[in-house]
Amino acid sequence: MTHPIMLFGLLIVAYFCGLQVENAFSKYWEEHIGLPHPPHWLAAKASPLSLHQAAIFMKLIKENELATHLGSFCKQANVACSTNALMKKTTINITLPPLAQWNGVKEKYDDLPNETPLSVANQGGLPYFRESMVKEGGIMLIPDLRDPISYKSFLPQSLVSNIPFSFARIKELKKIFGVVDDSDMDEYIQNTLKICEKSPIRGEQCTCATSAEDLIDFVVETLGHHVRIWSTESVEGSYENVTIGSVKLIHGNLSEPPVLCHSMPFLFQVYYCHVFHKVKVYAVDILTRKKLNHVIMACHVDTSTWNPNNIAFKQLGFGPGIIEVCHWINENGMVWTKILT
């Protein structure tokens, strides 16, 4: 039995390690972003690993020994290894239907599979819609806003640089994390790596940020230090017919494209961030069965470079360059806009 004084000492060490990690993320934020602090939900995604823990696990990865310590790694790093993925699924809102199949692949704007049936694409509501469909007092069926693996944290930049993040090395990646073939996690990994490695369409600038530092660096390189960050408040309203409340344009400068970042279903936190020209951003209130939710909507005004087979055009009945296409920003997603001085 652990002695009370020893246990108290361990708790103190754990507390200060967590504080050290949080302070490291906050410090990087303050050095690069002209905002006082990150949103609480984003700060919570900072890796909980201390420098000492990260060094130990990095050594295990290099020596191909992580598999023997996978349970400890998953728990301490707060990542979605196969050993804890099923346990963590209990955190998903059990009042909602299973996660929509569409969630993991809708970030593709140019290369959606032709065989994807509309019944899947429309699961829970339209993932894409027209700007004119979102009017105060109107009714809309909201799709699944959930992040399939919402609890996952970033890995430290030093650690993730030693992990094979590429489709060509997917077998090696799955072996490190104990991922079983044909499992949900296997599908998530394949979809995410395909999206991250696809060629950008004309006019698009994109990256996959695999660490908090990578995310901040991309935003600063694209927009500068003086930015605002917008995100959907919660998943309330998913699969519901909601009443649209106020619709507020928060970014309408088509000459200053925002950065859109989508949380990807993966073992650890990964963001697919991209920049499109001519994008409007709205803050929309939706009245759900339980409460008011504040959601973010992005509208792509120029779709002329999109693939004609994009599911959005199949749903809405028009082709590239003829209509604008809008979508909601899901849980843990974000939009960054430049503050014009």
Side-chain angles (χ1 to χ4, degrees), residues 125-254:
L126 290 176
Y128 297 116
F129 45 89
R130 299 292 303 276
E131 190 175 9
S132 59
M133 296 168 67
V134 185
K135 296 294 184 183
E136 186 169 359
I139 305 294
M140 278 195 76
L141 179 59
I142 303 297
D144 196 345
L145 298 176
R146 290 174 293 176
D147 181 346
I149 315 174
S150 63
Y151 63 87
K152 61 191 181 299
S153 297
F154 282 112
L155 285 178
Q157 194 174 39
S158 59
L159 189 58
V160 79
S161 63
N162 287 278
I163 291 174
F165 188 80
S166 72
F167 201 86
R169 299 177 65 188
I170 191 170
K171 289 184 178 179
E172 185 180 348
L173 174 68
K174 287 163 56 178
K175 183 178 179 180
I176 290 174
F177 288 94
V179 176
V180 179
D181 289 346
D182 300 320
S183 62
D184 288 345
M185 183 60 73
D186 183 18
E187 184 178 353
Y188 285 150
I189 290 172
Q190 291 193 46
N191 285 333
T192 293
L193 292 177
K194 286 176 182 177
I195 291 172
C196 288
E197 294 181 2
K198 75 178 182 69
S199 299
I201 65 174
R202 183 162 52 89
E204 180 190 22
Q205 180 184 356
C206 59
T207 190
C208 272
T210 55
S211 70
E213 293 87 352
D214 288 344
L215 173 66
I216 292 172
D217 289 347
F218 181 76
V219 170
V220 171
E221 289 169 8
T222 307
L223 301 178
H225 299 278
H226 302 289
V227 295
R228 292 197 65 177
I229 181 171
W230 310 88
S231 60
T232 291
E233 184 177 275
S234 75
V235 300
E236 292 292 340
S238 296
Y239 292 101
E240 287 185 31
N241 278 306
V242 304
T243 301
I244 303 296
S246 67
V247 181
K248 180 181 178 183
L249 180 67
I250 56 178
H251 178 81
N253 188 339
L254 299 183

Side-chain angles (χ1 to χ4, degrees), residues 107-118:
E107 281 73 23
K108 296 182 182 179
Y109 288 83
D110 63 326
D111 190 28
L112 293 172
N114 289 332
E115 69 273 12
T116 302
L118 288 178

Side-chain angles (χ1 to χ4, degrees), residues 294-310:
H294 308 285
V295 297
I296 301 300
M297 176 178 83
C299 289
H300 299 263
V301 176
D302 182 7
T303 59
S304 60
T305 61
W306 291 24
N307 191 314
N309 291 321
N310 190 300

